Amino acid sequence: MTDYYEILGVPRDATPDQIKKAYRKLAREHHPDVSGAEAGSEDTFKDVSRAYDVLGNPEKRRAYDMGGDPSAPGGGMGGGFGFQDIFETFFGAATGAAQQRGPIPRARRGQDALVRLDLDLSEVTFGVHREVPVDTAVVCPTCSGTCCRPGTSPRTCEVCGGRGSVQRVARSFLGQVMTTQPCAVCHGFGSVIPEPCTECSGEGRVRSRRTLSVDVPAGVDTGTRIKLTGQGEVGPAGGPAGDVYLEVRERKNDTFVRRGDDLHATLEVPMTAAALGTVLTLDTLDGPREVDLRPGTQPSQIVTLKNLGVGHLHVGGRGDLHVHVDVQVPTAMDDEQVELLRKLAALRGEERPESRFAGSSTGVFAKLRDKLAGR
Ligand SMILES: [Zn+2]
Ligand SMILES: [Zn+2]
């Protein structure tokens, strides 16, 4: 059986007054003519009314408490307290509330704006100061947001008397229903503007291009949003400004790949230099840095340069730069070079190297597998 107490949101031992209050509140929220909008409101309203029809009547409530459902078909809506009465009770309250709402203010908050900010890797690494142009709306300089031609002022709407709404009596299957609607003449504002400002066409704001000055912190990433409070467009009739959100998009870098706040780069090293060892100079984001490659440097070996990565957002400190060694094996060689290499191979006993697999836990495949697994 339907739980009428639950529908009204009251305890089983609620007083008649509590029940009446709960009903009025819910009826006001869900009455289709008043709330006017939400799908499903009508059904909720019917349930609420049915619950009150029973619980609001001492006789029916007693019968219901004893296990009967007096509102079920045949149980009768006829006796005692009917729908009609409920409506009149409820409606006095609803129109009162509508009158208290009054006219809606002409000034409204401006909308937020989302602006994309393209940044280079060095800019997100160290942070950057940027001037960002935005198309926005500012208060109309001619009318200062009043929407009226200078020297004129808004006039109280004669149709609604400044209330912004008009009441209408309509007949419905449940009896007389009084509805409150926004005034069509003043659009609910309660006032009309007899002579609109010509510069802004009575909007109180005009389009404009402004430049925002932004300090972008180090460590932002693609998708990071920077909020500039109150820097958005001014609302209609000089209403408060919305906010601007700058959404960062990091440009691809030709040399460095970013993973979190660490940077990765590939360093091409000739085979001979990898074998003999060398000192190379790298162009890092912080300028030239020397990298010391030990004799016998292997392919895919990683040299880590501490604190040359991207700055950590807000907390300070920086990530690292990981240099991946890529040993270059010569392809085009002249006769003399080939001869030298053959001599080297002979000296090392490598003219006919044994073919053998590396162990499954060593070798390049194992390293690749570990890297993919993030080990
Ligand atoms: Zn204006
Ligand atoms: Zn009006």
Side-chain angles (χ1 to χ4, degrees):
M1 194 167 69
T2 324
D3 190 343
Y4 293 135
Y5 290 99
E6 198 185 330
I7 289 173
L8 292 183
V10 294
R12 300 235 143 223
D13 57 358
T15 64
D17 208 33
Q18 282 177 308
I19 289 172
K20 194 170 184 175
K21 265 193 189 145
Y23 165 69
R24 280 190 173 224
K25 184 172 172 291
L26 289 169
R28 219 170 292 150
E29 278 168 21
H30 295 290
H31 187 272
D33 284 342
V34 171
S35 64
E38 273 177 65
S41 273
E42 206 171 336
D43 289 342
T44 314
F45 180 71
K46 279 179 189 161
D47 290 341
V48 167
S49 299
R50 200 168 296 128
Y52 184 57
D53 180 52
V54 173
L55 300 186
N57 177 303
E59 260 177 57
K60 288 187 185 179
R61 183 179 177 185
R62 213 172 302 128
Y64 174 74
D65 286 344
M66 283 159 65
D69 188 351
S71 88
M77 297 258 299
F81 205 34
F83 255 18
Q84 185 99 11
D85 305 316
I86 292 171
F87 255 91
E88 275 150 18
T89 320
F90 147 71
F91 234 38
T95 41
Q99 276 165 350
Q100 279 161 23
R101 262 201 302 269
I104 55 174
R106 205 175 279 275
R108 293 197 309 278
R109 183 180 181 273
Q111 289 190 334
D112 295 339
L114 184 65
V115 178
R116 195 145 65 198
L117 187 62
D118 288 308
L119 296 174
D120 289 331
L121 181 61
S122 63
E123 292 175 319
V124 305
T125 296
F126 302 112
V128 67
H129 180 85
R130 285 286 282 267
E131 305 283 322
V132 183
V134 288
D135 284 314
T136 186
V138 298
V139 174
C140 171
T142 302
C143 67
S144 310
T146 63
C147 310
C148 301
R149 198 168 59 81
T152 70
S153 53
R155 205 177 57 210
T156 302
C157 174
E158 285 159 9
V159 174
C160 63
R163 283 188 302 274
S165 57
V166 287
Q167 288 176 2
R168 271 225 297 257
V169 178
R171 297 201 167 271
S172 85
F173 70 105
L174 293 165
Q176 277 199 350
V177 171
M178 209 185 283
T179 62
T180 304
Q181 289 173 335
C183 171
V185 173
C186 63
H187 304 290
F189 294 133
S191 65
V192 290
I193 291 174
E195 292 180 71
C197 167
T198 48
E199 169 147 10
C200 63
S201 308
E203 248 231 279
R205 56 178 182 170
V206 289
R207 303 307 305 177
S208 163
R209 194 171 174 83
R210 281 203 302 140
T211 302
L212 304 177
S213 211
V214 198
D215 280 313
V216 180
V220 296
D221 203 345
T222 295
T224 303
R225 285 188 177 182
I226 300 166
K227 182 180 181 183
L228 303 176
T229 306
Q231 298 291 321
E233 63 165 34
V234 157
D243 303 325
V244 169
Y245 291 88
L246 296 178
E247 188 173 286
V248 171
R249 197 171 58 173
E250 186 182 313
R251 289 198 194 95
K252 201 171 164 293
N253 185 278
D254 289 338
T255 306
F256 303 101
V257 174
R258 180 177 176 182
R259 294 261 183 281
D261 288 339
D262 282 351
L263 296 176
H264 295 259
T266 301
L267 178 65
E268 296 182 340
V269 180
M271 179 186 74
T272 48
L276 299 172
T278 187
V279 175
L280 290 174
T281 303
L282 292 183
D283 279 327
T284 71
L285 295 172
D286 293 64
R289 286 288 188 282
E290 285 190 344
V291 180
D292 192 2
L293 293 181
R294 309 307 306 156
T297 291
Q298 300 295 308
S300 76
Q301 191 165 319
I302 298 169
V303 180
T304 296
L305 303 177
K306 287 280 180 195
N307 296 317
L308 291 185
V310 179
H312 299 310
L313 185 61
H314 300 319
V315 297
R318 294 175 66 181
D320 301 327
L321 169 59
H322 304 283
V323 180
H324 300 247
V325 173
D326 186 11
V327 174
Q328 305 284 292
V329 176
T331 47
M333 293 188 289
D334 61 25
D335 292 347
E336 194 183 351
Q337 291 170 2
V338 170
E339 189 52 38
L340 270 171
L341 273 186
R342 280 195 198 289
K343 223 180 252 175
L344 178 64
L347 283 170
R348 292 180 57 84
E350 291 170 351
E351 299 132 297
R352 288 178 191 281
E354 282 173 43
S355 64
R356 60 181 181 93
F357 286 123
S360 65
S361 60
T362 58
V364 287
F365 176 72
K367 280 181 193 156
L368 180 68
R369 186 187 55 201
D370 288 351
K371 200 182 281 180
L372 291 176
R375 266 176 271 168

